[in-house]
Amino acid sequence: MTDRISKLREFLKDNPQDNFLRHALALEYIKQEQDQEARALFETILTQSPDYIGSYYHLAKLLEKMQEKQLAIEWYEKGMQAAKQAGDQHAYNELQAAYEDLVY
């Protein structure tokens, strides 16, 4: 286990609902090829905080890597909807581009 993962887990003990910390930990898990742990964290973030736009892209990309294309498509779609509702055009465009790369 990396030092970063240990530190992030420590920070999360004090702030278990901190989406920034959970998202950062999920990204560290991906770097360490701990895909299931990353997936679980991203899914928790987005279930509890569907307005945490940044996690949609990373979860969908991870699902693509895990050969779960249909689920990835669904998460891209949810992310595009959330980005649209939040007025985050940049995130919407990134999600749409990744979605189109996967679908077409």
Side-chain angles (χ1 to χ4, degrees):
M1 189 180 321
T2 69
D3 194 39
R4 285 183 179 175
I5 289 175
S6 298
K7 285 180 182 176
L8 287 166
R9 283 183 172 170
E10 279 299 312
F11 291 142
L12 278 167
K13 285 181 183 176
D14 294 329
N15 300 298
Q17 301 303 312
D18 186 312
N19 287 328
F20 179 81
L21 292 174
R22 293 193 290 187
H23 182 91
L25 180 57
L27 293 176
E28 288 300 319
Y29 281 144
I30 289 172
K31 289 179 189 174
Q32 297 297 315
E33 297 183 15
Q34 297 177 38
D35 294 344
Q36 290 298 336
E37 291 86 347
R39 178 182 179 170
L41 264 178
F42 284 136
E43 288 174 344
T44 298
I45 292 167
L46 293 172
T47 299
Q48 294 175 354
S49 304
D51 59 340
Y52 201 75
I53 309 298
S55 290
Y56 287 98
Y57 177 87
H58 293 285
L59 174 56
K61 276 291 177 196
L62 180 60
L63 291 167
E64 280 187 59
K65 177 183 168 190
M66 297 172 81
Q67 304 296 312
E68 295 196 42
K69 182 180 178 179
Q70 189 54 46
L71 260 179
I73 289 169
E74 291 172 22
W75 281 107
Y76 281 130
E77 290 171 343
K78 289 178 188 179
M80 286 186 288
Q81 183 63 36
K84 194 175 202 177
Q85 288 175 339
D88 188 337
Q89 191 63 44
H90 178 75
Y92 180 88
N93 290 343
E94 281 188 339
L95 288 158
Q96 184 179 33
Y99 171 83
E100 289 176 359
D101 283 347
L102 181 59
V103 173
Y104 301 112

